[in-house]
Amino acid sequence: MASTGFDEDGDNRVGIWDLDKKIDQPMDEEGERLKNMFREKKLSTLLLLRLAYQSLGVVYGDLGTSPLYVFYNTFPHRVKEQEDVIGALSLIIYSLTLVPLLKYVVIVLRANDNGQGGTLALYSLLCRHANIKTIPNQHHTDEHLTTYSRSTFHEKSFAAKTKRWLEEQAYIKNVILILALVGTCMVIGDGILTPAISVLSAVGGIKVNHADLSNGVVVLVAVVILIGLFSMQHYGTDRVGWLFAPIVLLWFLLIGGIGIFNICKYGSSVLKAFSPVYIYRYLKRGGKEGWTSLGGILLSITGTEALFADLAHFPVSSVQLAFTLLVFPCLLLAYSGQAAYLMHNLEHSSDAFYRSIPDKIYWPVFVVATAAAIVASQATISATFSIIKQANAHGCFPRIKVVHTSRKFLGQIYIPDINWILMILCIAVTAGFKNQSQIGNAYGTAVVLVMLVTTLLMILIMILVWRCHWILVVVFTGLSLIVECTYFSAVLFKVDQGGWAPLAIAGAFLVIMYVWHYGTVKRYEFEMHSKVSMAWILGLGPSLGLVRVPGIGLVYTELASGVPHIFSHFITNLPAIHSVVVFVCVKYLPVYTVPEDERFLVKRIGPKNFHMFRCVARYGYKDLHKKDDDFEKKLFHSLFVFVKLESMMESCSDSDDYSLYEEENEHSRVGLLNNNVNTASLNMDPTVSSADSIVSVTSPSHMNAVTTIQSYGHVSSHTEVDEVEFLNNCRDAGVVHILGNTVVRARRDSRFYNKIAVDYIYAFLRKICREHSVIFNVPHESLLNVGQVFYV
């Protein structure tokens, strides 16, 4: 049958085996092209479906567990009339349609930063399209990165005018930063409140069949589960992550099926809720009480921000596919089924989900609900780790220990200090509030504030990045703000009923993050203003006015250009300096990652006989500068490659294979040496006789520099060979890491809030955060700290 292309019923079908058989037969070029297109389309469709399935366990756990507690928080006592149930269901239906479906799945997910989502990803995207980054460590060479994507504007366009306005107003830069930090702090609040409300709501099902159990027992069981959940974080999700997707898939199928069962059992009259008229009737009839109940309705869209924040491991199309084909229909069925049950059991609003479950499958559903709550909690905890890592890369969070939990997935990290802080706060919220209503009020406040921040940042994204027409921007902004401000006004009535919790938590984290960022900016400005001039370095001569002892001194600095003040402070107080000095700058850029072969930039400072270099190691906010024993090895490899390339360029001075440009005038042209060598550009400093040059060099895995140079044997010079040998000898003699220990203090005439921020909060954070020597994995026996004090 296979050879004829017909199955047993006579249908004309061609299976995979048939296609493979026909591959061996002669085909014309058109047939070959069609066959390849068929295979690629089939493969991409299967891959998309598989990724959509896998995204369930990471992205949708939080949104999927909302049916556990929405009706309880909407009607914390009991439902007065049947039409109230229909009105509440109508609000839920249109909330799910307008916010998760239209705003996030259709629009906001497209605003990702090379697949990365979240508030800080939006901020990074804006920093690339407009110079709004408050730490002025940008360099034009950063824009040459393959991941540094940005668009150009017409000078008279609305986008160009907006860009100029943003860059000219210093306070606007701070406002945008604070907006991003507020969104970040609210996501951290979600990481505390989601485990509390999800686990407590799931465990609350015990009381439905055992009414004699006290609420304290339920809280105790929830606390035990939470302790176990946070205690297992150091193992990471890689080992158990394969369980997440099937658990969440089973959960959605169960709640969808139970919804269909209840609609069939109690009648389909609840489907009238698809008419928005019932929203008007509900709010008109309920008055202030109906308006404040919107805080409970809001919980139906909690977890929506996770659609965006947890986007990193999945393409946008797979997340959109999973939501439209499975998540959205199952949630509508689940809420409609609960509403149908409540229509005939108005007094059961406090535990509508569990009471609407058929008796025969009650305990299996209870087990799956608890597992789904744990998965939802795990997703928000992981998202919290990720967003704090991003904040740290933007200079907005103290240095902390970050641990990789997976060799496959770079984004899977564990932060011990934050984990235990989250656990303590989560247990405090669970045991302190003791019921879902107050936790729900707190949760709603955090969720709506994150959505408002996303809307405000999306306005700039649509103007600067997408360059949308102003009418589209106004329509998106207007619709989003109408919905979100409505919910925000409702949760304001419940600030004293638990809504204060996320505001307090976010306020504490916001103070920490902004004060740390303020100290970082001031420290960088001090370094910039006090850096040593090149004329001073040249005046010291080749020996720098001191004894040059064998070895290499790695001077760590935050400056990507110029000689740092720490160097002059060091040689003023000590009578010797190493034969080779390398200024090392580890810099984070507003990109999600920096490819390994573009990570290092090397630059010579002064004439060759000074043997002074600068090496800039660039990282993205998703990259991890972990304890990497190869970091020093890669640094020296880049240094050696630079020396070889520099010598080749000087020997080929009559060739057009490279180009020189003056750094001070910032005229850049890129020259290609050879297909085996990375693109390199030289920066000439007119004050020195030799090149003060920056060269981008490849990593060891991408090229063999020695082999490449040897292929240019006719241009190699003795000077270059001698310098490489000299560098090797100095490396063998020993490497010393010189770190600055800068103390920041407020001036005597500073205002009181500046003194509190600098002398107390920032000083305390500096004391408890990780040392630079630990971050850079510097051995203690080769560490040298240089202290200095500056006042702000």
Side-chain angles (χ1 to χ4, degrees), residues 32 72 138 459 564 571 580 595 604 718:
E32 184 71 26
Y72 171 71
Q138 299 91 343
I459 297 172
I571 63 175
V580 177
R604 185 184 293 277
H718 290 292

Short mmCIF file of all heavy atoms in Angstrom, two decimals, residues 32 72 138 459 564 571 580 595 604 718:
data_model
loop_
_atom_site.label_atom_id
_atom_site.label_comp_id
_atom_site.label_asym_id
_atom_site.label_seq_id
_atom_site.Cartn_x
_atom_site.Cartn_y
_atom_site.Cartn_z
N GLU A 32 12.23 18.86 -5.47
CA GLU A 32 13.15 18.86 -4.33
C GLU A 32 12.88 20.06 -3.41
O GLU A 32 12.89 19.93 -2.19
CB GLU A 32 14.58 18.90 -4.86
CG GLU A 32 15.65 18.80 -3.77
CD GLU A 32 15.72 17.42 -3.17
OE1 GLU A 32 15.35 16.44 -3.85
OE2 GLU A 32 16.11 17.33 -2.00
N TYR A 72 -13.59 33.83 45.90
CA TYR A 72 -13.53 34.05 47.35
C TYR A 72 -13.18 35.49 47.67
O TYR A 72 -13.77 36.11 48.57
CB TYR A 72 -12.48 33.11 47.95
CG TYR A 72 -12.18 33.41 49.41
CD1 TYR A 72 -13.11 33.14 50.42
CD2 TYR A 72 -10.97 34.00 49.78
CE1 TYR A 72 -12.84 33.44 51.74
CE2 TYR A 72 -10.69 34.30 51.10
CZ TYR A 72 -11.62 34.02 52.08
OH TYR A 72 -11.36 34.32 53.39
N GLN A 138 28.93 54.58 28.63
CA GLN A 138 28.76 54.11 27.27
C GLN A 138 29.98 54.45 26.43
O GLN A 138 30.66 55.44 26.68
CB GLN A 138 27.51 54.74 26.63
CG GLN A 138 26.21 54.40 27.33
CD GLN A 138 25.83 55.41 28.40
OE1 GLN A 138 26.68 56.18 28.84
NE2 GLN A 138 24.58 55.41 28.81
N ILE A 459 4.68 53.08 26.17
CA ILE A 459 4.47 54.31 25.38
C ILE A 459 5.77 54.71 24.69
O ILE A 459 5.79 55.01 23.49
CB ILE A 459 3.97 55.45 26.30
CG1 ILE A 459 2.60 55.10 26.90
CG2 ILE A 459 3.89 56.76 25.53
CD1 ILE A 459 2.14 56.08 27.97
N PRO A 564 42.69 55.51 35.98
CA PRO A 564 41.95 55.79 37.22
C PRO A 564 42.80 56.45 38.30
O PRO A 564 44.02 56.29 38.34
CB PRO A 564 41.47 54.41 37.66
CG PRO A 564 42.47 53.46 37.09
CD PRO A 564 42.88 54.06 35.78
N ILE A 571 50.82 54.51 43.18
CA ILE A 571 52.25 54.75 42.94
C ILE A 571 52.78 55.92 43.76
O ILE A 571 53.98 56.08 43.92
CB ILE A 571 52.54 54.97 41.44
CG1 ILE A 571 51.83 56.23 40.93
CG2 ILE A 571 52.11 53.78 40.63
CD1 ILE A 571 52.17 56.57 39.49
N VAL A 580 54.40 45.13 33.83
CA VAL A 580 53.24 45.28 32.94
C VAL A 580 52.04 45.66 33.79
O VAL A 580 51.80 45.05 34.84
CB VAL A 580 52.95 43.97 32.16
CG1 VAL A 580 51.69 44.13 31.31
CG2 VAL A 580 54.13 43.58 31.30
N PRO A 595 28.24 38.10 23.17
CA PRO A 595 28.87 36.87 22.70
C PRO A 595 30.31 36.75 23.18
O PRO A 595 31.01 37.75 23.35
CB PRO A 595 28.82 37.00 21.17
CG PRO A 595 27.70 37.96 20.91
CD PRO A 595 27.71 38.92 22.06
N ARG A 604 45.95 49.90 24.22
CA ARG A 604 47.27 50.25 24.74
C ARG A 604 47.23 51.67 25.29
O ARG A 604 46.62 52.56 24.70
CB ARG A 604 48.33 50.15 23.66
CG ARG A 604 49.75 50.39 24.18
CD ARG A 604 50.75 50.39 23.05
NE ARG A 604 50.88 49.07 22.45
CZ ARG A 604 51.64 48.09 22.94
NH1 ARG A 604 52.34 48.29 24.05
NH2 ARG A 604 51.71 46.93 22.34
N HIS A 718 60.22 41.50 14.89
CA HIS A 718 60.91 41.07 16.11
C HIS A 718 60.35 41.77 17.33
O HIS A 718 60.31 41.21 18.41
CB HIS A 718 62.41 41.35 15.96
CG HIS A 718 63.08 40.46 14.95
ND1 HIS A 718 63.23 39.10 15.16
CD2 HIS A 718 63.61 40.73 13.73
CE1 HIS A 718 63.85 38.57 14.10
NE2 HIS A 718 64.08 39.54 13.22
#
